Amino acid sequence: MASKRQTNFELLRIVAMFMIITLHYIVKGCSVSDAIDRTFVYYTLRLIEAFCIVAVNCYVFISGYFLVESEWKAGRVISLLAQILFYSVFIPVAMMCIGMISWQDLNLYDWIGFIFPIETEHYWFATAYLMMYILAPVLAAGVKRMDKRSLQIVIIVLLIFFSVGKSVLPISLATDRYGYDYGWFLCLFLIAAYIRLYCPSWLEQKKHALLIYVSMCLCIFALSIAAGILGKSIDAFAYYSEMPYTYNHVLCLIGAIGLFCVFKNAKIREGKMAEIIRRFAPYTFGIYLLHEHILVRYEWMEWLYIDNVRGTWFILPHMIVCVVIIYIMGTLVDFIRAYIFQKVRKIGAR
C-alpha cells in the first residue's frame, strides 16, 4: 500500500510540473494578463491557466504531507542547495561556452544572483521551498503536540491573514505577496499535515475531490472574466481580475486541495508504468530550475518560435509541443546532473 501511495504522489509531482510549464508558457509567452484583445483564443488560454494554477500548491502539499511524519535530514538541505547552485551557475557558464552570451553581457549583480540564488530569490520557489524544508521539523513537532482543534485554529488564523482577506477585498494589500513566499508555504505545510492526520471522510472520495477541483477552477475563470468586465467601469475590479490567478487566493487553495486528494486516493497498479513514474518523478525539480533560470525563463518560448503562432489557434498545439519538449529536455539535463552528483559523492566517500 505504501508503494502504491508513493506512486500516486509521484504521478502528481509529474502532472504538477507539466502544469507549471504550461503556466509559464501562457503567462510569460502569451502575456495573457496584459492582453487587450479578448478573443476566443484568449479565453481558452485563461481557462487552461485556471486549471493549472493549482499546481504549485499541490507540489508543496506533497512535501508537507510526508515531512510531517518522516525523518528530517540535514543532508537534504545540502543536496537541495547543491542542485539549485548547479543550475544557477552552470547555465550562464554553458551559454557563454556555446556563444549564446558573452562575458560582457553579465555584470557583477548578475553573478551575485547566480552564486547566491537563495538570498537573491533567483528562483522564488526554491527560496520559499528551502525555507519551508528547514523549518519542517519545527512545524512537524508542533503539529504532533497539538490536538485537532488547536491545529484547526492555527490554520484558520493563517488563512485569514494570507488568503481570505486578499480574496474578498478588491484592493492591493501591503502584506500580500500572492503566495510567492515561504510564509504561504508554511501555511500549505500545515494544511497538508492536517489532511494527512484528519482528512474528512467525504474528501477521501475521489469524485468529491475531483468535483471540488473542477468547480474551483471554473470559478477562478468565471470570477476573473466577470471582474475584468466590471473593471471597465470600476477601476478596483480591473485590479481584482488577476487576483483569482494567484497561489494564495482561496479558490486556488481549495482547488489544489481537491486535486491533491484526487491523487492521494487514486490507486495505481504496480507494474512497468508505476516503475516509470517513480523513475522519472525525482527529476521534476531540475526541470523547474532549468527553464526558470533568469537567462532562460523569458527566452525559451522565443527559441521555440511562439511569435509565429501567438494570437492564433495554432498556439494550442504549439503549447503542447513546447511543454513536452521542455519537460523532456529538463529531465535529460537533470539526469546528467544527478549522474555527476552521484559520481562526486562516490569519490568523496573514498
Side-chain angles (χ1 to χ4, degrees):
M1 291 298 296
S3 177
K4 289 182 179 180
R5 182 181 63 186
Q6 181 67 33
T7 303
N8 297 345
F9 286 110
E10 294 300 279
L11 178 59
L12 175 58
R13 200 186 306 273
I14 292 173
V15 171
M17 188 50 61
F18 271 108
M19 288 180 168
I20 289 170
I21 302 171
T22 302
L23 282 174
H24 294 159
Y25 180 97
I26 293 173
V27 175
K28 297 173 182 176
C30 303
S31 301
V32 290
S33 60
D34 300 324
I36 298 176
D37 297 331
R38 296 299 191 259
T39 64
F40 198 69
V41 174
Y42 164 84
Y43 289 117
T44 301
L45 291 174
R46 295 245 77 174
L47 182 60
I48 295 173
E49 183 185 2
F51 276 87
C52 292
I53 197 64
V54 303
V56 171
N57 289 346
C58 286
Y59 204 95
V60 180
F61 277 154
I62 297 172
S63 297
Y65 186 87
F66 287 104
L67 286 173
V68 72
E69 292 286 359
S70 62
E71 179 184 359
W72 187 84
K73 298 179 180 179
R76 177 59 177 160
V77 176
I78 298 174
S79 177
L80 281 171
L81 281 171
Q83 185 178 8
I84 296 167
L85 192 60
F86 173 86
Y87 280 96
S88 63
V89 174
F90 167 76
I91 290 177
V93 172
M95 292 178 73
M96 285 188 293
C97 290
I98 62 178
M100 294 184 68
I101 59 174
S102 65
W103 284 100
Q104 290 75 23
D105 294 327
L106 303 174
N107 56 38
L108 178 60
Y109 179 81
D110 293 324
W111 284 105
I112 291 176
F114 299 150
I115 298 172
F116 300 98
I118 300 300
E119 295 84 347
T120 60
E121 284 197 332
H122 184 126
Y123 302 101
W124 75 264
F125 178 89
T127 299
Y129 182 84
L130 186 66
M131 291 300 298
M132 183 200 71
Y133 189 87
I134 292 172
L135 293 172
V138 178
L139 294 173
V143 168
K144 292 176 182 177
R145 290 180 63 87
M146 300 171 69
D147 57 28
K148 180 180 179 181
R149 180 62 176 170
S150 298
L151 182 57
Q152 287 176 335
I153 293 174
V154 170
I155 292 174
I156 290 172
V157 171
L158 288 175
L159 287 179
I160 291 174
F161 178 79
F162 282 108
S163 181
V164 177
K166 64 85 53 76
S167 298
V168 299
L169 298 174
I171 59 174
S172 177
L173 301 177
T175 56
D176 182 23
R177 293 198 62 192
Y178 312 137
Y180 293 93
D181 62 331
Y182 70 87
W184 176 241
F185 279 27
L186 299 182
C187 186
L188 294 176
F189 181 103
L190 294 178
I191 294 172
Y194 184 88
I195 292 174
R196 172 137 195 183
L197 299 174
Y198 310 111
C199 187
S201 57
W202 58 269
L203 198 53
E204 296 283 4
Q205 299 183 40
K206 286 188 295 183
K207 62 181 181 180
H208 291 164
L210 181 61
L211 178 61
I212 290 173
Y213 165 61
V214 173
S215 61
M216 289 301 102
C217 293
L218 291 175
C219 285
I220 289 171
F221 173 73
L223 181 59
S224 175
I225 299 303
I229 295 174
L230 291 173
K232 295 179 180 179
S233 55
I234 305 175
D235 291 340
F237 283 102
Y239 159 81
Y240 194 68
S241 65
E242 293 302 318
M243 284 303 99
Y245 289 99
T246 54
Y247 302 131
N248 60 343
H249 193 280
V250 67
L251 294 178
C252 181
L253 171 63
I254 297 173
I257 292 173
L259 183 61
F260 180 79
C261 288
V262 168
F263 282 86
K264 171 183 174 293
N265 301 307
K267 294 180 174 61
I268 299 179
R269 290 184 179 182
E270 284 300 316
K272 193 65 175 178
M273 183 56 65
E275 293 176 4
I276 293 174
I277 291 171
R278 289 194 294 265
R279 181 70 180 86
F280 287 98
Y283 302 120
T284 53
F285 189 51
I287 298 171
Y288 164 78
L289 295 175
L290 176 65
H291 87 278
E292 266 297 284
H293 192 280
I294 191 65
L295 298 179
V296 178
R297 68 178 61 159
Y298 295 106
E299 303 296 331
W300 62 266
M301 283 81 66
E302 302 302 323
W303 295 341
L304 295 173
Y305 304 106
I306 191 174
D307 286 338
N308 295 343
V309 296
R310 187 181 285 115
T312 72
W313 277 110
F314 290 106
I315 201 166
L316 298 179
H318 183 268
M319 177 178 66
I320 294 173
V321 171
C322 288
V323 170
V324 171
I325 289 174
I326 294 300
Y327 193 94
I328 293 175
M329 293 299 298
T331 300
L332 291 174
V333 172
D334 203 56
F335 176 83
I336 296 172
R337 191 273 316 164
Y339 178 81
I340 294 172
F341 278 27
Q342 183 182 33
K343 291 298 183 181
V344 171
R345 282 194 293 268
K346 287 182 178 181
I347 295 174
R350 292 177 181 175

